[in-house]
Amino acid sequence: MSDPVTTRPLKHMGDLDYSVVQQCMHCGMCLPSCPTYLETRQERNSPRGRIALMRAIADGDLEVTREFGEEMYYCLGCLACTTACPAGVDYPQLFEHARAEIEHQGVLFTPGRRFWRWLTLRQIFAKPWMLHAIGRMLWFYQASGLCALVRKSGLLRLLPEYLRNLEPSTPAVRRHFSAELIAELESPNFRKSRVGMLTGCVQDLTFSEVNRDTVEVLLANGCEVITPRDQGCCGSLHAHNGDLDQAVIQAKRIMDQFDLDSLDAIITNAAGCGSHLKHFSNLLKHDPDYADKAVIWDGKVRDISEWLVSIGFRKPEGNSISQKVTYHEACHLCHGQGISRQPREVLRAIPGLDLVELENATHCCGSAGVYNITQPEQAAKLQKEKIACIQRTGATLVATANPGCHLQIQNGIGSMAEVKHPVSLLAEAYRAERSSVSVE
Ligand code: SF4
Ligand code: SF4
């Protein structure tokens, strides 16, 4: 098949500030941190190689081809290169614009791909009611035993191979979503601050209890919590997958749900969302109605552990979690937001918890958004490496702060260890403290 090339003028890459394209000084310091470069040792699979291709396209020396599209979808978007880069290259912006350009030019077009992208990005993750309806159906399918029956019947053999391989790792959908577990307004005994709570999309369906735990921890630290209903996706999924136009719509939608002036912070507990939510000012810089508001928004978004440490959270008492715990750093928390110390501070504050450091804690686990669906082989390799590192720690519990990493690690490690969000462990410690006080 011939390699399709761009025939349309550049839209997203043309929109990119040229100073961002020029930032790379070709030093190569990012190469040893890049999982795809380490896998192939090819320059084109490295951050430096990808940036060179993007610059050539922006300069008009190269066209957007299928090959370029495949290259940019081979990149995990793990952002390890941004941490390693001494020049401060804004790789997230380059990556998002490059993927958006690839979709705009249609170089990866197939009817099936177009349909799945429309269904997921423009329907399911664009309409909260549809996401919830599908969540309810999935919950019924899993909880009623229908799922087990289908697995036994061999019907899954009818699915395409990649879907068949993925089916066993489908996340368990919760019976109750966040709006059923969290009231719109929850007030602490003594109010010190007022925060907005982001419930997410995947997090809302598959980890609604983490959202509840987050609210409990905030209340225990004097934060009044406002949780708007039907929030839906913040658009991070869209931005990372080349749909910047829909990402803009999602960003405005979520911003409209919060009264920014009345809030001290807006809290997220999902690393992938947080890393996107903190850059709305970039996404909306050309929008006359939202540009200023987005700057205020960015300044108020906080990851939960970042917020807790900044307000001097209360350390629980007693001896609640007597377990060896290791901490996996979600890429979009450590590389995307520069948050490494705070989750460890939260974990170390829990009495009885024995925190053991994880070798290569900042290395990607292979989840990387939908990478484990689009690049299953490379994702499986990274998952295997991560699990081997976890096993060497002897920990029986892995703490991590992103739903994708949570699922990827849990699927890889099986019953050998539990996976929990650091804030859930802190919530557990507060609950244990309360119950020991009431017993006395
Ligand atoms: S985001 Fe990750 S995979 Fe992509 S270039 Fe950077 S380090 Fe490599
Ligand atoms: S470390 Fe930064 S400046 Fe150096 S090659 Fe990589 S992206 Fe370019």
Side-chain angles (χ1 to χ4, degrees), residues 33-36 46-47 50 75-81 91:
S33 70
C34 175
T36 54
S46 76
R50 290 181 177 122
C75 169
L76 290 133
C78 67
L79 312 185
C81 47
Y91 190 80

Side-chain angles (χ1 to χ4, degrees), residues 8 41 64 143 182 209 245 260 264 267 325 353 405 440:
R8 307 165 79 178
R41 300 280 168 184
V64 179
I182 303 167
E209 76 282 3
D245 294 339
L260 287 186
D264 298 304
I267 306 297
V325 177
L353 187 150
C405 308
E440 283 165 21

